[in-house]
């Protein structure tokens, strides 16, 4: 099973700052099979990025996904108040797994 | 607009079977482009993919849960169902159903709101 390790566990930033979230896979993952989700308390996850870098419908362009192989990154260029949430990466190779999440909190 | 709604008992006794249903509205589950997945999230923890089913009945399971999980479809009701046998407290979680894209790209693009299941005597 491929393990996804997200770092940092918690990111404390102020609105307007840039957030950089990392997702590292224990084995190489096809970029086509790497996605990112945002989850707010009491809500279901929301798809942000698929194919490592493709924004889902309605996702603002301040969200950017990048990376390949075993290292992937989600960047939020300027944090808006509604962006403070938990972010998960997800992969598929032979089965589906998620990272443990990165919480972006207000500093 | 596609909507998914999970339903089922909120409380299940240890060693019994957890049964949940996901009702899909706004699209047919017989769409050839999608699978229908279940994901769960224990309190305060991350997400775990349980499995997915195609309208034809083809199933895909998380290896760690495969021995206890059965997914099924009811096309007449546009529903997918989850059965998880021999539950323990570790199965306490919010259970989500989601539409799964698994063609060229692999992701979960539409989610239900989730339903909380507690395993307790």
């Amino acid at each position: 099973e491929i393990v996804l390790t997200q770092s940092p566990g918690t990111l404390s930033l102020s609105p307007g700052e840039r957030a950089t979230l990392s997702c590292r896979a224990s084995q190489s993952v096809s970029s086509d099979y790497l996605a990112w989700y945002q989850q707010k308390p009491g809500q279901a996850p929301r798809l942000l990025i698929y194919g490592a870098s493709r924004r889902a419908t309605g996702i603002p362009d301040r969200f950017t996904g990048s990376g390949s192989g075993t290292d992937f990154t989600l960047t939020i260029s300027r944090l808006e108040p509604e962006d403070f949430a938990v972010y998960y990466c997800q992969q598929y190779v032979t089965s589906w797994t998620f990272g443990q999440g990165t919480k972006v909190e207000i500093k | 607009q596609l909507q998914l709604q999970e339903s089922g008992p909120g409380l299940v006794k240890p060693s019994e079977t957890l049964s949940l249903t996901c009702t899909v509205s706004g699209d047919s589950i017989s769409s050839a482009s999608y699978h229908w997945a279940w994901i769960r999230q224990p309190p305060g923890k991350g997400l775990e993919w349980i499995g997915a089913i195609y309208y034809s009945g083809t199933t895909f399971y998380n290896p760690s849960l495969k021995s206890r999980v059965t997914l099924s479809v009811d096309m007449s009701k546009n529903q997918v169902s989850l059965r998880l046998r021999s539950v323990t407290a570790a199965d306490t979680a919010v259970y989500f159903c989601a539409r799964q894209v698994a063609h060229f790209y692999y992701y979960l693009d539409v989610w239900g709101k989730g339903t909380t299941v507690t395993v307790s005597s």
Side-chain angles (χ1 to χ4, degrees):
Chain A
E1 174 184 287
I2 292 183
V3 176
L4 297 178
T5 301
Q6 293 186 239
S7 61
T10 302
L11 203 47
S12 298
L13 295 168
S14 301
E17 290 194 293
R18 180 185 187 91
T20 303
L21 288 67
S22 172
C23 175
R24 179 162 290 178
S26 58
Q27 301 173 44
S28 184
V29 173
S30 168
S31 296
D32 291 344
Y33 302 162
L34 194 289
W36 289 92
Y37 303 83
Q38 175 194 70
Q39 187 179 32
K40 297 179 181 179
Q43 296 185 16
R46 176 175 73 143
L47 176 68
L48 297 175
I49 300 287
Y50 66 95
S53 61
R54 290 165 170 78
R55 275 185 292 273
T57 302
I59 301 303
D61 60 7
R62 63 180 181 272
F63 290 92
T64 301
S66 62
S68 63
T70 59
D71 289 299
F72 297 89
T73 300
L74 175 68
T75 303
I76 310 171
S77 58
R78 287 195 322 279
L79 284 164
E80 298 287 341
E82 62 268 28
D83 299 336
F84 291 91
V86 179
Y87 293 83
Y88 294 95
C89 56
Q90 163 254 305
Q91 68 78 32
Y92 170 81
V93 174
T94 56
S95 186
W96 296 62
T97 58
F98 293 88
Q100 83 280 16
T102 290
K103 181 179 182 180
V104 179
E105 65 176 21
I106 299 177
K107 187 175 181 180
Chain B
Q1 180 184 357
L2 178 67
Q3 291 187 317
L4 288 72
Q5 177 70 57
E6 305 88 349
S7 59
L11 181 64
V12 181
K13 289 182 168 56
S15 80
E16 295 191 344
T17 296
L18 179 162
S19 296
L20 297 175
T21 297
C22 174
T23 301
V24 178
S25 58
D27 194 11
S28 171
I29 62 170
S30 62
S31 171
S33 302
Y34 304 110
H35 299 163
W36 303 93
W38 288 93
I39 303 95
R40 69 181 182 178
Q41 185 170 38
K45 295 189 178 180
L47 300 164
E48 180 179 35
W49 183 82
I50 299 170
I53 188 166
Y54 195 49
Y55 77 95
S56 63
T58 300
T59 52
F60 310 85
Y61 296 125
N62 184 327
S64 68
L65 296 169
K66 185 175 184 177
S67 64
R68 297 195 292 132
V69 174
T70 301
L71 301 185
S72 59
V73 293
D74 184 336
M75 288 202 285
S76 68
K77 296 181 179 178
N78 223 37
Q79 291 177 336
V80 296
S81 295
L82 163 70
R83 287 173 55 87
L84 180 64
R85 295 176 291 279
S86 304
V87 298
T88 69
D91 296 309
T92 293
V94 177
Y95 285 76
F96 298 99
C97 61
R99 187 173 74 174
Q100 176 172 296
V101 174
H103 184 60
F104 294 125
Y105 302 108
Y106 282 63
Y107 55 89
L108 302 150
D109 66 340
V110 181
W111 294 63
K113 293 182 178 181
T115 188
T116 299
V117 178
T118 301
V119 178
S120 175
S121 56

